[in-house]
Amino acid sequence: MRPLNLRDGQIEMAHGAGGRASAQLIDEIFLRAFDNPWLRQGNDGATLAPMLNPGERLVMATDAHVISPLFFPGGDIGSLAVHGTVNDVAMSGAQPLYLSASFILEEGFPLGDLKRIADSMGQAAREAGVAIVTGDTKVVERGKGDGVFISTTGIGVVAAGIDTSGHRARPGDVILLSGSIGEHGVAILSQRESLEFETQILSDSAALHELVAAMLAVAPGLRVLRDPTRGGLATTLNEIAGQSGVGMLLDEAAIPVQAQVEAACELLGLDPLYVANEGKLVAICAEQDADALLRTLRAHPLGQNASRIGTVIADEHGFVQMHTRFGGRRVVDRLVGEQLPRIC
């Protein structure tokens, strides 16, 4: 068979039929982009042999990625798929090891765009130190998809004694945020709606596992870790409050928001607290660990703007409340409906 036409070629139904065209698509795009010993074996699944030490546990997380547009300032659906699942594994306190990737492609999708996405995905995986070891590809008829959807599953290992589950927050604990919020959602919306600002707003999409490892090295008793993706910071904190049976009291002035993001949200009628992030984390820790963790966060490139944003309080109703900049107090509820469709 002739090589794929990556300039003008498109996905055809034959690419999902399991025959020669399917094999060629896998060999010329996915295998070249993700190449590693496990994938090169060519089996239907990857045989893995993680050597667990006493007390270590496996963590597995899965995520589906649907986003419009597929390419956006600061990333694309390929790098986002890697970062999103690596971060889900990392929020369990785990070191990510392996990923699987499943692609649903629409007939007519440009092969050049697929290669660009796969290459970006492969680069993101190598930079994160994880291997994409197995996957699957399906093709749907034209008009029955939206270009490409990607589903990823990640596996990692949690060291003995580490537990960052959402049920561990206690009254008196401190709430830390690794940086400014809202960049990802606003970057997507600005691209989608062709909005122009004085300075370009970039998605914060990034893999957070090295930052997590640095935090756990100084505070292995860290209570909770979570990345505030869909629903943003507000929804994430409400989820943790519900899991732990506690309340939270935030300081609005302490929550970092870039000036251009705040201006864009004001223009669009959005609240940054509910806008998705893809490269930030929330950490809840005991008071005695807060200062050391904050120093560790600020010493890392992905945590330079970290802030102490509030405290965990006793509250049988599980309310998340916030001291406003105007001196009042308001309840910060979960997101109702959706602010931005299809952004992660």
Side-chain angles (χ1 to χ4, degrees), residues 18-318:
R20 291 179 181 270
S22 297
Q24 185 180 25
L25 185 75
I26 292 169
D27 288 344
E28 295 187 25
I29 291 185
F30 297 124
L31 184 56
R32 292 182 186 180
F34 305 157
D35 188 34
N36 60 70
W38 298 276
L39 193 62
R40 211 177 302 130
Q41 291 172 2
N43 296 322
D44 285 340
T47 301
L48 309 173
M51 302 300 292
L52 297 183
N53 296 315
E56 290 183 337
R57 296 102 66 207
L58 286 176
V59 166
M60 183 170 68
T62 192
D63 209 351
H65 307 273
V66 294
I67 191 166
S68 177
L70 298 173
F71 305 95
F72 49 84
D76 55 66
I77 191 173
S79 59
L80 179 68
V82 171
H83 294 158
T85 300
V86 163
N87 291 346
D88 283 348
V89 171
M91 292 308 111
S92 294
Q95 173 63 39
L97 298 175
Y98 308 107
L99 296 177
S100 71
S102 176
F103 292 79
I104 297 178
L105 307 172
E106 183 182 13
E107 180 186 18
F109 188 72
L111 288 172
D113 284 352
L114 180 60
K115 182 179 185 301
R116 180 180 169 189
I117 290 168
D119 287 346
S120 173
M121 202 169 174
Q123 180 180 347
R126 286 187 292 273
E127 290 175 350
V130 298
I132 301 172
V133 298
T134 188
D136 190 35
T137 304
K138 294 292 186 292
V139 178
V140 297
E141 295 174 356
R142 191 185 303 264
K144 294 187 177 179
D146 196 2
V148 56
F149 301 146
I150 304 176
S151 181
T152 44
T153 296
I155 294 177
V157 174
V158 183
I162 301 298
D163 185 0
T164 58
S165 300
H167 69 276
R168 298 187 67 238
R170 301 290 182 268
D173 286 350
V174 173
I175 306 168
L176 304 177
L177 178 64
S178 67
S180 53
I181 60 173
E183 288 103 302
H184 178 70
V186 172
I188 297 301
L189 188 61
S190 63
Q191 189 78 359
R192 185 184 298 163
E193 302 299 335
S194 300
L195 300 176
E196 295 184 2
F197 304 102
E198 289 186 4
T199 57
Q200 188 179 44
I201 300 172
L202 302 178
S203 168
D204 63 344
S205 182
L208 296 169
H209 60 297
E210 291 182 355
L211 177 59
V212 169
M215 296 170 68
L216 290 171
V218 300
L222 187 58
R223 306 252 207 241
V224 182
L225 286 169
R226 194 69 60 85
D227 54 336
T229 53
R230 283 180 299 175
L233 178 63
T235 298
T236 296
L237 292 178
N238 273 278
E239 289 173 352
I240 297 170
Q243 283 181 269
S244 293
V246 297
M248 297 183 184
L249 185 58
L250 310 178
D251 178 4
E252 183 177 22
I255 299 173
V257 184
Q258 292 183 7
Q260 63 267 37
V261 170
E262 193 160 22
C265 286
E266 185 174 350
L267 174 68
L268 298 166
L270 302 176
D271 186 337
L273 291 173
Y274 296 94
V275 177
N277 314 272
E278 288 293 342
K280 301 298 189 303
L281 63 81
V282 173
I284 297 179
C285 64
E287 170 69 42
Q288 63 265 27
D289 292 330
D291 288 343
L293 280 169
L294 202 52
R295 287 193 297 270
T296 300
L297 282 163
R298 290 173 175 171
H300 193 281
L302 296 178
Q304 292 177 346
N305 296 317
S307 178
R308 177 173 175 157
I309 64 168
T311 56
V312 178
I313 60 176
D315 183 353
E316 63 180 7
H317 302 292

